Amino acid sequence: MGAGDVAESGRGVVGERGVVAAGHAAEAEAGVQMLAAGGNAVDALVAAAFTAFVVEPASCGVGGYGRLALFHAESRRFVTIDHYVRAPRLARPDMFEVDPGGAMMYYGWPRVVGRRNEWGHLAPAVPGAVAGLCAAQERYGRLSLAQALEPAIAAAEDGVPVTWNLVLAISDRLEEIRALPHAADFLLRDGAPLQAPGLEGGGDRLDFSELAGTLRRIARQGAAGFYTGSVAEAIEREVTENGGILSAADLAGYRPVIVDERPAAYRGHAYVTARDPLGYEALNILERFDLDRYGPDGVEFRHLVAEAFGHAFADNMAHYGDPDFARSPVEGLASAAFAAERAGQIRLDRAAPRPVAPGDPWPHEPEATTGPDPVGLSSGGVSGTSQVAAADREGNVAALITSLSNAFGSLVLVPGTGIFLNDAMQNFDPRPERANGIGPGKMPIFAAPALVAARGDEAVLAAGGSGGYRIMSGVLHTVLHVLDFGLELQAAVDAPRIHCQGDETFVDARIPASARARLAELGHDVVVQRDVPGTQYFGRVSAVGREPRSGVLRAAAGPLWQSAVAAL
């Protein structure tokens, strides 16, 4: 493909100056626009992400959050910009009443009465998206923030055509939207979802002129344009007048966490997951097995991946809590020694009993003490979120996961701003005694890797995903297919996957029936699923790769109906 070409279907592209992979063609185009203007991978990623806030409004937004991993070529450092949510200052461990008759959420804890942590004015946590991306641009970008926001502002001023993906997202939350007047006025017409175009054209557009104004304010003032002044005041007014607790003081006090993340090792490569503990444990477990001998289509490979994922989920959901607020064995969970112990309990001839019982990482934690009680497990599910990956010819590679949680987040639309607020309070366990319980200022667990890998001093790979906990399936399968089996990047993204959170094993329908039957014989509770438009059973992935010797850059993305790549 030529310079600046975009492949909307997600088919891989090759570039010399830079590549971008994302969830929408407009995002990929925005990233390449920055590269063409002399920007680097960070400029491209930031521009693509802000554009995503406009063109993928059900998946992400300025009222959301994310995590960003970067290999910075000049300093040869792995940098993570953690801009996940924090609980508001008035949050309490018992602020939600657990629904005694409700089903478990796929996060691994019970639902609450009225699902008040999933929609409405108590659901938003303090958003970090704007702070994180502004920090990335200021520290590691080459262009101005105002320049990086130009594509997003233009998209917002034009308005966003309603797609079938948006219609599905609206329809899925129709009753909740009808209960919130501002969201209903924006997303419905006469009480029904907006219309996508038909055979003869037509279709509705989302009027994002108010969001354009918010983006222009951020372009002028940086993060302060969101976290202080009229935008912050409007957020507080809308939330608190309707029984919520998110305040302008919460917004003013938010800061992203920027760290030089200590890399782990896998197959001779150094990598970071943007502080995702599950990704570290799963790869640490799989490092103990010679996957190459089984091949990417081997039943043994699929069995071992399911076991590694299931054990990692069981352990992290049992023990992980914000280490700044709770006693949690974060280092123990990510340690090679604990993974070796867990790998030793995995058998090739049968699956572990379901649900997988959590291990004990506390002996592997520095100054280990007795940990909290384990929590229950839950089956996998699907959520919103989007992702961007970018690379440039200087050797910078970056991956971003950015989200609102559910489609359109809490469904709280702040008048005059165009902002939908997240519903990330559901990411906390509502049971006060749990390590991941609610507390003022706490971050909940973030179980999704934005992964960047290098060999020696040269970056080779970056990948991010969307689809709730299925992000781990998508990102880690991509990494395994590249590093263990040597697949070309697009083939690695396209390859069939499985997913396990410690109980059922979800298997891509493209995997042969004979392999599925063998997994069942090994003791897996096999659930066959097929991704089609409107689902993300196995995650959506955006990835970039770099060949250190030649400098050739590649971008890949999938599934083909909801992704795009671009090269310069």
Side-chain angles (χ1 to χ4, degrees), residues 8 12 23 36 48 145 154 198 244 282 300 351 377 401 452 498 504 513 551:
E8 289 193 49
L145 178 65
E300 297 90 348
L377 295 174
I401 295 173
V452 170
I498 61 173
E504 301 101 326

Side-chain angles (χ1 to χ4, degrees), residues 150-191:
E150 286 176 359
I153 293 170
E157 289 174 338
D158 288 343
V160 175
V162 173
T163 63
W164 282 109
N165 282 327
L166 283 173
V167 173
L168 287 171
I170 295 167
S171 299
D172 190 52
R173 306 196 73 188
L174 187 56
E175 294 308 311
E176 296 164 349
I177 293 170
R178 286 171 172 163
L180 295 168
H182 299 314
D185 288 345
F186 190 72
L187 297 173
L188 307 180
R189 185 172 59 192
D190 298 325

Side-chain angles (χ1 to χ4, degrees), residues 138-363:
E138 179 182 358
R139 290 173 177 246
Y140 301 106
R142 183 174 295 136
L143 307 176
S144 69
L145 178 65
Q147 189 169 355
L149 263 66
E150 286 176 359
I153 293 170
E157 289 174 338
D158 288 343
V160 175
V162 173
T163 63
W164 282 109
N165 282 327
L166 283 173
V167 173
L168 287 171
I170 295 167
S171 299
D172 190 52
R173 306 196 73 188
L174 187 56
E175 294 308 311
E176 296 164 349
I177 293 170
R178 286 171 172 163
L180 295 168
H182 299 314
D185 288 345
F186 190 72
L187 297 173
L188 307 180
R189 185 172 59 192
D190 298 325
L194 297 175
Q195 297 295 305
L199 291 176
E200 298 180 358
D204 294 316
R205 297 179 75 88
L206 292 175
D207 179 359
F208 272 127
S209 56
E210 291 182 345
L211 180 60
T214 298
L215 293 171
R216 283 193 292 268
R217 182 180 175 89
I218 295 169
R220 293 192 304 269
Q221 301 180 19
F226 178 87
Y227 291 92
T228 64
S230 61
V231 172
E233 292 165 2
I235 291 173
E236 177 182 284
R237 183 165 54 251
E238 171 62 23
V239 171
T240 58
E241 288 181 358
N242 291 279
I245 60 175
L246 178 62
S247 70
D250 292 317
L251 293 162
Y254 184 91
R255 300 292 183 274
V257 178
I258 304 173
V259 296
D260 287 354
E261 189 162 357
R262 184 178 62 204
Y266 185 80
R267 310 295 189 220
H269 293 76
Y271 74 94
V272 298
T273 67
R275 307 215 302 173
D276 165 48
L278 275 85
Y280 283 125
E281 183 178 350
L283 286 178
N284 281 340
I285 290 172
L286 291 169
E287 174 84 358
R288 312 290 298 186
F289 296 94
D290 183 10
L291 301 183
D292 184 52
R293 66 181 291 193
Y294 306 119
D297 298 318
V299 173
E300 297 90 348
F301 166 64
R302 303 198 190 284
H303 165 69
L304 288 171
V305 169
E307 293 295 277
F309 287 6
H311 283 67
F313 267 102
D315 297 335
N316 281 270
M317 293 304 161
H319 297 289
Y320 185 87
D322 186 339
D324 291 336
F325 292 84
R327 292 171 53 252
S328 178
V330 175
E331 293 187 36
L333 287 165
S335 71
F338 178 56
E341 179 182 301
R342 295 297 268 162
Q345 298 164 0
I346 294 174
R347 298 182 52 162
L348 275 170
D349 62 345
R350 71 167 183 251
R354 290 329 196 233
V356 174
D360 182 8
W362 285 96

Side-chain angles (χ1 to χ4, degrees), residues 281-525:
E281 183 178 350
L283 286 178
N284 281 340
I285 290 172
L286 291 169
E287 174 84 358
R288 312 290 298 186
F289 296 94
D290 183 10
L291 301 183
D292 184 52
R293 66 181 291 193
Y294 306 119
D297 298 318
V299 173
E300 297 90 348
F301 166 64
R302 303 198 190 284
H303 165 69
L304 288 171
V305 169
E307 293 295 277
F309 287 6
H311 283 67
F313 267 102
D315 297 335
N316 281 270
M317 293 304 161
H319 297 289
Y320 185 87
D322 186 339
D324 291 336
F325 292 84
R327 292 171 53 252
S328 178
V330 175
E331 293 187 36
L333 287 165
S335 71
F338 178 56
E341 179 182 301
R342 295 297 268 162
Q345 298 164 0
I346 294 174
R347 298 182 52 162
L348 275 170
D349 62 345
R350 71 167 183 251
R354 290 329 196 233
V356 174
D360 182 8
W362 285 96
H364 306 284
E365 181 74 9
E367 300 180 3
T369 57
T370 302
D373 293 333
V375 301
L377 295 174
S378 166
S379 301
V382 180
S383 186
T385 308
S386 193
Q387 73 292 320
V388 181
D392 62 37
R393 64 182 174 186
E394 297 169 17
N396 301 297
V397 301
L400 170 74
I401 295 173
T402 186
S403 183
L404 285 168
S405 286
N406 286 347
F408 302 103
S410 62
L411 299 172
V412 173
L413 177 61
V414 180
T417 69
I419 297 169
F420 277 102
L421 295 174
N422 67 81
D423 60 336
M425 290 303 291
Q426 67 175 308
N427 297 348
F428 289 103
D429 193 321
R431 296 169 292 189
E433 70 275 13
R434 305 297 181 173
N436 189 43
I438 301 168
K442 283 184 69 175
M443 280 187 179
I445 189 170
F446 191 101
L451 191 145
V452 170
R455 189 172 183 91
D457 289 334
E458 300 283 347
V460 297
L461 179 67
S466 61
Y469 287 161
R470 306 302 176 97
I471 295 171
M472 187 174 85
S473 304
V475 170
L476 294 194
H477 272 91
T478 300
V479 171
L480 297 172
H481 284 124
V482 171
L483 300 188
D484 283 280
F485 305 124
L487 269 64
E488 183 272 329
L489 190 60
Q490 187 62 57
V493 171
D494 290 341
R497 306 172 195 143
I498 61 173
H499 179 80
C500 181
Q501 290 179 207
D503 41 22
E504 301 101 326
T505 298
F506 298 90
V507 180
D508 192 314
R510 294 177 296 162
I511 293 173
S514 59
R516 305 196 303 257
R518 178 58 184 148
L519 287 171
E521 291 173 1
L522 291 172
H524 293 272
D525 181 6

